[in-house]
Amino acid sequence: MPDSTGTPPDSRVVAHTGRWRTLALLGVAQFMLIVDVTVVAIALPHMGADLGLSRDALTWVTSAYTLTFGGLMVLGGRVADLIGPRRLVLAGLAVFTIASLTAGIADGAAMLIVSRIAQGVGAAMLSPAALSSVVRLFDGEERNKALGIWSAMGGAGGAVGVLLGGVLTGGPGWPWIFFVNIPVGAVILVLLIRMLPALPGVPVQERQGVDVLGAVLITGGTGLVIYALIGAGDRGWLAPVTVGLVVAGAALYAAFVVWQRRVRSPLMDVELMTRRSVGSGTFVILMATALMVAIFFLGSFYLQDAMGHSALTTGLLFLPVAGATMLGANLAGWVMARVGGRALALGGLLLAALGLAVPALWAGTLSMVLGLSAAAAGIGSLFLVASATALGQVEPEKSGVASGIVSTFHEFGASIGTAVVSSIAAASLMTGSGEGFGRAFGVAAVIALGAGLLATCWIPARVRTSRTTD
């Protein structure tokens, strides 16, 4: 019978007695995926020296993972909706763990980048299926608490990855940033086989095919844009090749939208993306991840190459950043309940802009750490805003696709953020001088400020927990 809002109860929400333990395991798995975005950042200078990697190759070590992760995310969410998330969670975790082994033993750029692509494939299977499981295992206020924990794990994972990267790179060496995934992934896989329930998918007689062409179009379009942004530091932002690649990427995006309206079983529900809550939530996650990765990428090279700190010292210097990220994520639920998603997003982005402006204006280790910590606190609060805004009003049968959309823009943000700041700071990344770093942080601060103003106009003032659409 309908609930107090007049909405029929969600038959796909499963009352599972071990749901909090299952959430813990899924959270650790997601934590590992997010850590793998940033744990690489601190090891990049050492990878470049050991394997003879160019600036472009170093950027692709990060972007190859996040681009594949993001480009296939919606496809993973769609498959999770069709067959149920359990099998996709287990398969994705296995692929990611095996690819971590090949990345650790890589002896050149080609093997390393291919392994990062394989990690991205596994992550694209695992992440949306895991988030879909969380959404369907919990309901009501419990769901908000579970999403808060999930968001905190994701936000903290980015910062902890830099610390872990420093410890491992400064100790046994950079390959261990990948090797550490193997025992963790294996243990979680065994436990999830026993504990993760077989949540129902679409009945066999009602299933339609998956849109592989759609995944190719959106991944290809983003890949062209990322390639253009990475090369812009050398070719120029308005060079014909740069502009041509961006236009080609936009053309693939347009083809993707047209195809989604024609194909029988589209990869992405275009109508879903036009909802104010979903569109604004994906915008927030895009900006939050782009800014966070900019912090890790630039901060790692600045502290090691410009300031001369070791990998271990650099990791320790990021401890306040890690703490600020977790603090921001943990306080976000309390703040949003009182002021709403719009105000929290605006405050988080303005704090990020102020924090990023500090290292742009004042050079030095102390100003870098203080400024990035303030920025991280603001960014950490954005992860919950994004998840709650985008997913809070989505029908349960579309939760996998919606989760995939959110996670797609999470990873695209990382790819775009890395590519943009790498090109702006191109000279400094190769020489260790400080001018390019300051300019890159300044651009990031301006972007955060602009995003905050846009958030004021776009994001709903308050996020409702009912399933009515806006």
Side-chain angles (χ1 to χ4, degrees), residues 70 73-74 127-128 131 150 268 272-273 277-286 289 383 385-392 394 399-413:
M73 190 77 66
V74 179
S127 185
L131 183 52
W150 180 271
M268 184 183 296
L272 196 64
M273 280 295 296
S277 58
V278 176
S280 59
T282 54
F283 167 74
V284 172
I285 202 70
L286 176 79
T289 313
F383 291 102
V385 175
S387 295
T389 302
L391 302 178
V394 173
S399 62
V401 171
S403 300
I405 292 172
V406 172
S407 299
T408 293
F409 280 85
H410 185 287
E411 301 312 317
F412 282 175

Side-chain angles (χ1 to χ4, degrees), residues 29-30 33-34 37 64-82 85 88-89 92 96 117 119-132 150 210-212 214-220 222 256 260 266-269 282 285 289 391 398-415:
Q30 175 72 3
L33 303 185
I34 303 305
V37 176
Y65 174 70
T66 53
L67 174 61
T68 311
F69 191 174
L72 300 179
M73 190 77 66
V74 179
L75 182 63
R78 175 62 177 162
V79 175
D81 283 343
L82 290 176
L88 213 61
V89 167
F96 179 85
I117 292 173
Q119 282 187 307
V121 171
M125 299 165 68
L126 169 59
S127 185
L131 183 52
S132 179
W150 180 271
V210 294
D211 182 15
V212 176
V216 172
L217 288 174
I218 193 171
T219 305
T222 307
F256 172 77
Q260 296 307 285
L267 176 68
M268 184 183 296
D269 188 340
T282 54
I285 202 70
T289 313
L391 302 178
K398 296 182 179 181
S399 62
V401 171
S403 300
I405 292 172
V406 172
S407 299
T408 293
F409 280 85
H410 185 287
E411 301 312 317
F412 282 175
S415 297

Side-chain angles (χ1 to χ4, degrees), residues 93-148:
L93 183 56
V95 170
F96 179 85
T97 302
I98 294 171
S100 296
L101 173 62
T102 61
I105 62 176
D107 58 359
M111 184 175 179
L112 180 58
I113 292 174
V114 168
S115 297
R116 293 288 282 166
I117 292 173
Q119 282 187 307
V121 171
M125 299 165 68
L126 169 59
S127 185
L131 183 52
S132 179
S133 297
V134 172
V135 171
R136 291 168 61 177
L137 286 172
F138 297 89
D139 198 13
E141 288 303 316
E142 274 198 349
R143 178 182 291 175
N144 289 338
K145 293 178 181 178
L147 285 174

Side-chain angles (χ1 to χ4, degrees), residues 339-407:
V339 303
R342 178 191 297 168
L344 180 57
L346 174 61
L349 285 164
L350 291 181
L351 180 57
L354 290 173
L356 288 164
V358 173
L361 298 174
W362 295 282
T365 299
L366 181 60
S367 62
M368 172 72 65
V369 173
L370 292 177
L372 297 191
S373 296
I379 295 170
S381 69
L382 299 177
F383 291 102
L384 176 59
V385 175
S387 295
T389 302
L391 302 178
Q393 301 177 50
V394 173
E395 299 85 347
E397 63 272 15
K398 296 182 179 181
S399 62
V401 171
S403 300
I405 292 172
V406 172
S407 299

Side-chain angles (χ1 to χ4, degrees), residues 20 72 91 111 115 136 176 181 193 200 287-288 298 300 313 316 334 393 407 464:
W20 291 106
L72 300 179
M111 184 175 179
S115 297
R136 291 168 61 177
W176 283 90
N181 292 331
I193 289 174
M287 296 308 307
L298 291 175
S300 175
T313 300
L316 293 174
W334 182 86
Q393 301 177 50
S407 299
R464 300 183 302 275

Side-chain angles (χ1 to χ4, degrees), residues 12 40 112 128 165 187 221 239 248 357 360 412:
R12 290 181 180 268
V40 170
L112 180 58
V187 170
F412 282 175

Side-chain angles (χ1 to χ4, degrees), residues 18 30 47 54 61 87 130 143-144 151 154 163 186 203 245 266 273 290 319 322 357 373 377 413 419 430 460 469:
Q30 175 72 3
M47 287 183 191
S54 65
V61 170
R87 280 181 283 177
R143 178 182 291 175
N144 289 338
S151 301
L163 174 61
L245 288 170
M273 280 295 296
L319 273 174
S373 296
M430 301 310 297
T469 57

